């Protein structure tokens, strides 16, 4: 019995420390899923580095393939409607204990979401400063809550031409 | 297609108490002057003597082709076709009467002609760069056709013609097709000898060297003009983020257009970054706009944004 309790304790500590892992390249385990973390620079001449963070289960890591009609123009940004207040609420909720530290670290989060025609998220991608204080568990929470709560609606007919609708014009989140 | 039409902003701040009139964005834990600012340019107004658009005219036509005259005027006109006036009340140029002559292919129905005129009207009242383009080509004739196809448009710069593929594409919700094509006409008028030699061979499907230069310049132009991020829509998410941040840097998060003077440090840096993204764009798998890259500089884009202001 003591052995079982000890084992359970070890497992709990492992998962907790896993979730609190710093977001460093390449693969970081959250509680339930693994995230890919990749370092990059915005422009070749830049000195500051950033990281992309996304679930290893994401489908379109290498980009959205062209559809049957490769000449289709991408859907216009004004035909994609997403509640950016809900995005902000989810992020604020997940990072509520770090608000001040995030501000002191001058952090910013960029987001790209891929939706299906029903408005559900297929993939979520996050972009942060390389020295972010946000950890894997927090990213997992944000990713999960996004997929549960964020829905897109579309106007016009253009979106019907696409299997994957790219919402890459979300406002940056600045802390 | 305007970045100020939908009220969206380039950044959201979390946890701030910014006054509504002093902070263009809301925030989490930041004050108004915190990094990464930006936001939307002011909503377009009709400054000076610019007057509301009051009507559209359709001149009718002959048995094989018909001609529509699309008028954006400061004086009241009667719409002979009964078309609704554009929703944006601002006129597009400093002249009192800008007119684009529209010639229709003979096969078009009256309903298709009406829809094309409405599409042109939508285009002509969008963001300032598109209003500029509309005014720039005023008094010129353009032929519009519709053929079978799937939500696209092609232009022939040698005879000023635009062909929509499907009647659905020739509707106002696809006015962005005209944004695309009219910038090509502007490129054609900018580059010595035009851009026909950089085209796509319609029968073989083979792109000439420089085709990607022309198409990428168009995509960057459109993204700066609209706040969209279409150029790298099929790139990797990281490429999209890099490109988006570059555009935000060029436009101060959508509040200004880049003003670039040849020889300046800003110009040199712009060309360097532009070429870096051009190479990446050309390498996107499946990109139908790929071709051998030439040394053509994006002079049409530079010229246009040196002229146009975001709050025209």
């Amino acid at each position: 019995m003591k052995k079982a309790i000890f084992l359970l304790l070890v497992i709990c500590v492992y998962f907790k420390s896993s979730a609190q892992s710093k977001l460093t390249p390449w693969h970081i385990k959250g509680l339930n899923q693994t995230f890919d973390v990749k370092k990059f620079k915005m422009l070749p001449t830049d000195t500051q580095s950033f990281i992309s963070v996304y679930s290893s289960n994401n489908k379109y890591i290498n980009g959205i393939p062209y559809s049957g009609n490769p000449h289709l123009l991408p859907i216009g940004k004004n035909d994609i409607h997403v509640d950016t207040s809900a995005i902000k609420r989810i992020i604020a909720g997940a990072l509520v204990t770090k608000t001040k530290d995030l501000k002191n670290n001058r952090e910013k989060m960029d987001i790209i979401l891929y939706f299906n025609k029903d408005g559900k998220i297929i993939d979520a991608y996050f972009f942060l400063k390389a020295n972010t204080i946000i950890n894997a568990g927090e990213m997992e929470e944000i990713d999960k809550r996004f997929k549960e709560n964020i829905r897109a609606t579309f106007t016009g007919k253009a979106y019907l031409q696409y299997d994957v609708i790219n919402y890459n014009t979300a406002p940056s989140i600045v802390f | 297609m305007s970045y100020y039409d939908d009220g969206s902003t380039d950044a959201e701040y979390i946890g701030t108490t910014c006054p509504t009139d002093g902070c263009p964005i809301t925030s989490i834990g930041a004050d108004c002057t915190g990094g990464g600012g930006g936001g939307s340019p002011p909503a377009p107004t009709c400054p000076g003597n610019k007057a509301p658009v009051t009507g559209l005219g359709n001149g009718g036509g002959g048995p094989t082709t018909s001609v529509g005259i699309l008028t954006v005027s400061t004086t009241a006109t009667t719409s002979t076709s009964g078309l609704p006036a554009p929703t944006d009340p601002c006129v597009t140029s400093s002249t009192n009467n800008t007119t684009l002559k529209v010639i229709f292919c003979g096969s078009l129905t009256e309903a298709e002609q009406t829809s094309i005129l409405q599409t042109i009207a939508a285009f002509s009242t969008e963001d300032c760069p598109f209003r500029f383009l509309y005014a720039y080509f005023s008094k010129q004739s353009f032929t519009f056709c519709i053929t079978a196809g799937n939500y696209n448009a092609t232009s022939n710069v040698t005879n000023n013609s635009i062909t929509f593929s499907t009647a659905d594409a020739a509707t106002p919700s696809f006015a962005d097709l005209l944004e695309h094509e009219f910038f090509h006409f502007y490129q054609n008028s900018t580059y010595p000898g035009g851009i026909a030699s950089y085209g796509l061979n319609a029968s073989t499907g083979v792109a000439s060297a420089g085709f990607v230069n022309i198409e990428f310049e168009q995509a960057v132009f459109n993204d700066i003009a609209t706040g969209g991020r279409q150029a790298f829509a099929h790139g990797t998410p990281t490429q999209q983020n890099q490109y988006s941040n570059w555009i935000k840097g060029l436009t101060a998060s959508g509040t200004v257009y880049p003003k670039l003077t040849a020889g300046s440090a800003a110009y040199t840096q712009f060309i360097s970054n532009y070429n870096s993204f051009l190479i990446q764009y050309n390498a996107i798998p499946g990109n139908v706009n790929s071709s051998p890259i030439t040394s053509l500089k994006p002079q049409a884009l530079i010229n246009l944004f040196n002229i146009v202001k975001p709050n025209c």
Side-chain angles (χ1 to χ4, degrees), chain A:
Chain A
M1 183 64 182
K2 273 185 184 173
K3 255 187 179 176
I5 292 172
F6 177 73
L7 198 62
L8 197 66
L9 210 63
V10 168
I11 291 169
C12 285
V13 168
Y14 171 77
F15 277 118
K16 184 165 172 54
S17 59
S18 227
Q20 291 179 345
S21 293
K22 283 187 72 178
L23 292 168
T24 51
W26 294 97
H27 300 286
I28 299 294
K29 281 186 190 297
L31 283 174
N32 298 305
Q33 60 177 321
T34 303
F35 283 84
D36 287 4
V37 181
K38 293 184 179 173
K39 201 170 180 179
F40 68 97
K41 288 180 179 173
M42 288 295 174
L43 295 169
T45 52
D46 282 357
T47 52
Q48 189 176 15
S49 293
F50 293 82
I51 52 170
S52 61
V53 185
Y54 51 87
S55 167
S56 301
N57 296 326
N58 277 6
K59 291 181 180 173
Y60 299 103
I61 291 164
N62 295 319
I64 302 169
Y66 285 86
S67 64
N69 176 8
H71 291 282
L72 270 181
L73 291 178
I75 184 172
K77 64 171 278 198
N78 289 346
D79 285 333
I80 306 175
H81 308 281
V82 179
D83 183 355
T84 54
S85 299
I87 287 177
K88 200 172 74 173
R89 277 197 303 276
I90 288 171
I91 294 169
L95 303 173
V96 68
T97 59
K98 287 187 174 176
T99 301
K100 194 175 173 186
D101 292 334
L102 287 163
K103 182 185 173 187
N104 289 339
N105 200 35
R106 301 175 67 82
E107 295 231 17
K108 184 184 88 154
M109 180 188 289
D110 288 339
I111 299 159
I112 293 175
L113 302 174
Y114 293 167
F115 292 96
N116 64 18
K117 284 179 198 175
D118 296 332
K120 291 180 181 172
I121 292 176
I122 302 170
D123 285 353
Y125 298 88
F126 304 92
F127 304 90
L128 300 156
K129 285 174 70 175
N131 69 346
T132 182
I133 60 170
I134 300 172
N135 64 40
E138 290 158 345
M139 283 313 305
E140 182 171 40
E141 178 68 13
I142 292 168
D143 184 84
K144 179 171 168 276
R145 291 180 63 188
F146 268 26
K147 286 170 181 167
E148 287 171 353
N149 297 297
I150 302 296
R151 294 285 179 271
T153 57
F154 311 106
T155 47
K157 289 181 180 177
Y159 79 95
L160 295 169
Q161 305 298 310
Y162 304 91
D163 294 326
V164 184
I165 296 151
N166 186 342
Y167 178 58
N168 63 4
T169 55
S172 299
I173 301 292
V174 179
F175 298 95

Side-chain angles (χ1 to χ4, degrees), chain B residues 63-147:
Chain B
T64 55
T65 60
S66 54
V67 181
I69 307 296
L70 183 70
T71 303
V72 180
S73 172
T74 57
T75 56
T77 58
T78 303
S79 173
T80 56
S81 66
L83 296 178
T87 52
D88 189 311
C90 301
V91 295
T92 61
S93 87
S94 58
T95 60
N96 283 338
N97 192 348
T98 56
T99 303
L100 190 75
K101 287 182 181 174
V102 180
I103 303 167
F104 296 114
C105 282
S107 57
L108 298 188
T109 65
E110 192 172 333
E112 288 170 335
Q113 293 179 22
T114 300
S115 186
I116 286 173
L117 286 176
Q118 289 172 332
T119 307
I120 296 167
F123 160 74
S124 72
T125 54
E126 290 182 328
D127 301 271
C128 296
F130 307 122
R131 299 183 195 194
F132 168 83
L133 286 176
Y134 181 81
Y136 185 85
F137 290 106
S138 65
K139 307 204 187 301
Q140 290 194 31
S141 296
F142 289 86
T143 303
F144 289 84
C145 306
I146 296 175
T147 61

Side-chain angles (χ1 to χ4, degrees), chain B residues 225-277:
Chain B
T226 66
R229 298 291 182 264
Q230 299 195 350
F232 278 89
H234 293 277
T236 67
T238 298
Q239 282 178 321
Q240 293 180 56
N241 189 238
Q242 291 168 316
Y243 173 74
S244 181
N245 274 277
W246 178 57
I247 297 292
K248 282 181 183 176
L250 287 173
T251 61
S253 293
T255 57
V256 298
Y257 296 134
K259 307 294 180 191
L260 298 162
T261 307
S264 68
Y267 176 89
T268 303
Q269 188 178 26
F270 169 80
I271 294 294
S272 171
N273 291 328
Y274 179 93
N275 286 337
S276 170
F277 282 113

